[in-house]
Amino acid sequence: MDARGDHAAICRHGFGVVHRHNTVRNLLARHAFRAAGLCCDLEVPSLLPNTANRPADILVQPASPPSGALPDRPTAYDVTVRSPYCRSTMSLAAKGLAGAAEAADLDKLRVHSRTVRDAFHLQPDSPLPLLDWHFVPLAFDTLGATSSRTMAVLEYLAHRIANRTYSSYGTAKIRLLQRISFAVWSSLASATLSRMPYHGAALSSPAQV
């Protein structure tokens, strides 16, 4: 039995990893971006030509620009939740609190660059073309840490939420981080429980109790 849920946090069999990703994605869309007054859509297709890749777990439209300013481009946020117990990130996680999240952030940027070059049939060392949207990874780890880039986005959203709800920035930030932590941990609990014997099924005989 995976008593501490470590294997459940990294196993790609079953629904655990996908369920955790979708849970965090949906929470961010509802309680972060939309709560901050930003319009967003999930899993938007056809952002890149010649590929079925969907770089935007959450595609967020820019806030209204100041009077006389040109509108910004939408931002494609790509959500990832990485366990620090993965073999590929364990050594990085040991060096710093957010090592796994920072590694996931860089991995997402590398994959995005490669995907864009492939979509436009560019050489590996060619500069990336200017797209109609920004790309930003949102990287978390299963112990609650985030990449520095992700934390900057969350702090920006907390400021907007605080202004909209007439609450303090500190309160808005804490509540947002608590929601994310709960989403990650509840999905981990579900993945762990799904691997327990007889989970979700009645015992067939009293002798098995």
Side-chain angles (χ1 to χ4, degrees), residues 145-168:
T146 70
S147 68
S148 56
R149 192 192 321 271
T150 300
M151 183 55 69
V153 172
L154 297 178
E155 289 173 344
Y156 164 73
L157 294 171
H159 275 294
R160 290 186 59 93
I161 293 170
N163 290 336
R164 285 171 55 86
T165 58
Y166 303 102
S167 60
S168 69

Side-chain angles (χ1 to χ4, degrees), residues 30-95:
R30 179 179 180 183
H31 294 289
F33 292 106
R34 289 172 184 157
L38 300 172
C39 297
C40 64
D41 297 289
L42 304 183
E43 303 291 348
V44 178
S46 306
L47 288 179
L48 285 173
N50 309 314
T51 177
N53 184 276
R54 295 187 178 188
D57 287 321
I58 309 171
L59 184 68
V60 179
Q61 300 301 323
S64 299
S67 178
L70 295 175
D72 195 7
R73 293 172 286 166
T75 300
Y77 289 98
D78 192 359
V79 178
T80 182
V81 185
R82 181 78 60 87
S83 170
Y85 300 124
C86 289
R87 184 176 301 176
S88 60
T89 57
M90 191 174 294
S91 61
L92 294 172
K95 295 178 181 178

